[in-house]
Structure formats: C-alpha cells, structure tokens
Amino acid sequence: MNDSADRTKLLKSLLDERILVLDGAMGTMIQQVNLTADDFGGAALEGCNENLVLTRPDVILDIHRKYYESGADIVETDTFGSTPIVLAEYALADKCYEINLAAAKIARQAAAEFSTPNKPRFVAASIGPTTKAITVTGGVTFEQLIDNFYQQVRGLAEGGADIVLIETSQDTRNIKAGLLAVDRLG
C-alpha cells in the first residue's frame, strides 16, 4: 500500500473498528543509545535529535522498528523540534525541509517493512510547540508560527506521513497556527 489517499482511508476505517497503538517517547529511546557529539554532527549539534535523521538515520530507523516490533500501529517521526525556529538554535533553520522529509521517509520505510494486510502500519508527523509561544514567551508573531509549521509539515507530508500530530503545546495559538499550516498545505 503506497498511495497516501489509500492509507488515509484505511487508517480512518481502522479507527472506527479498534484502538490503534501509538509509539512511545523518541527522546528517551535516543538517550538509551548513548550517542556521542559526532553522531549528532559535532559538538555544536549535540542534543539536536532531529538532525539524527541526517547523521544517523540507522538509529532512528531502528527505534521505529522497535516500536513496531512491540506492537505499535503508528510511529511518530523524529521531528518534534524541526521547525526553523527551533532548528535555528543549532544553525540548521535552512535544513527544515530536508530534515522533515528525511524523517518521514525513515518512518515510512519502517512502516512498509512491518505492514501486513492484517496489520497495516502508519506514520504520524510529530509537530511540537516550538521554543516560542505568543502568549508565554513572545518573540514570534502568529504569521511566523504558521510559516514555520508550514515549512515543517510540507516536508513531512511529502515524505509520507499519514497523519499530523500537533503535540505538547501549552499555547492554543501555537496549536491554531499549526492547524492553519496544515490547512494551507491542503
């Protein structure tokens, strides 16, 4: 099953039939691997888990595989902090599209490996709140948030994500900006 529209239809059908299991914490799994600064791309990038989809895709793929092996129906992409706003803290803002595209493709690869006719597997695009919130921290406009989320979700969609998961946000305007970015993408 390669067609995105077919996967979406199947996902909706399965949600009507049963509870689907989502994976667990990506960051915790990454910490268990005991990576070095070199794995992240150097000392300046250490801690940028999202960059691992470029520097150590094997690690991220293995994490997705472990969740599928454990029975997950859906895995989240390694993109919680992959908007230009967050990536700019590591001087990687210009790699937003590339990182999100790669992350979705890695998760899609694992989903394809574990999908069967009786147990299809899916990919959720993980979209975190950014490090700026209009209400809480300031330093960003509503339109800037929409643009940042749009850049992120464009790569995720083109990489094969089935659904979008806007998560862990304390500011409803960040959530709204994320939803508008998804809507803009269509």
Side-chain angles (χ1 to χ4, degrees):
M1 175 171 303
N2 295 324
D3 183 56
S4 178
D6 288 343
R7 287 193 316 266
T8 300
K9 184 177 177 180
L10 179 57
L11 177 61
K12 288 178 180 180
S13 172
L14 287 172
L15 285 169
D16 284 338
E17 296 173 18
R18 66 181 176 89
I19 294 171
L20 299 181
V21 177
L22 187 64
D23 67 1
M26 175 62 75
T28 303
M29 293 293 280
I30 289 171
Q31 288 175 351
Q32 291 176 3
V33 181
N34 296 317
L35 299 173
T36 67
D38 288 341
D39 291 310
F40 287 92
L45 300 174
E46 190 169 14
C48 184
N49 291 346
E50 295 76 11
N51 198 47
L52 291 169
V53 302
L54 301 180
T55 61
R56 291 297 308 270
D58 59 308
V59 169
I60 303 305
L61 180 60
D62 187 53
I63 290 170
H64 292 318
R65 287 173 173 155
K66 286 178 180 171
Y67 277 121
Y68 283 136
E69 286 169 359
S70 296
D73 298 293
I74 305 168
V75 298
E76 295 179 58
T77 56
D78 179 27
T79 54
F80 182 82
S82 63
T83 57
I85 288 173
V86 179
L87 293 172
E89 296 174 11
Y90 296 96
L92 294 173
D94 62 326
K95 291 194 177 253
C96 172
Y97 175 80
E98 179 184 359
I99 287 171
N100 285 283
L101 181 70
K105 285 183 175 183
I106 292 166
R108 170 66 33 228
Q109 177 184 339
E113 289 174 13
F114 283 84
S115 286
T116 67
N118 293 330
K119 190 161 174 75
R121 306 299 175 94
F122 302 95
V123 174
S126 174
I127 298 179
T130 81
T131 51
K132 302 200 182 297
I134 296 169
T135 305
V136 181
T137 62
V140 67
T141 68
F142 188 68
E143 284 302 317
Q144 287 170 329
L145 282 173
I146 294 171
D147 182 58
N148 271 261
F149 288 128
Y150 177 80
Q151 291 180 55
Q152 180 182 27
V153 78
R154 186 173 66 90
L156 290 164
E158 291 177 17
D162 299 305
I163 57 174
V164 175
L165 182 60
I166 299 172
E167 59 175 316
T168 323
S169 183
Q170 306 85 352
D171 191 328
T172 56
R173 289 191 280 182
N174 278 47
I175 295 168
K176 183 176 181 179
L179 291 171
L180 289 171
V182 171
D183 188 57
R184 180 186 291 173
L185 185 65

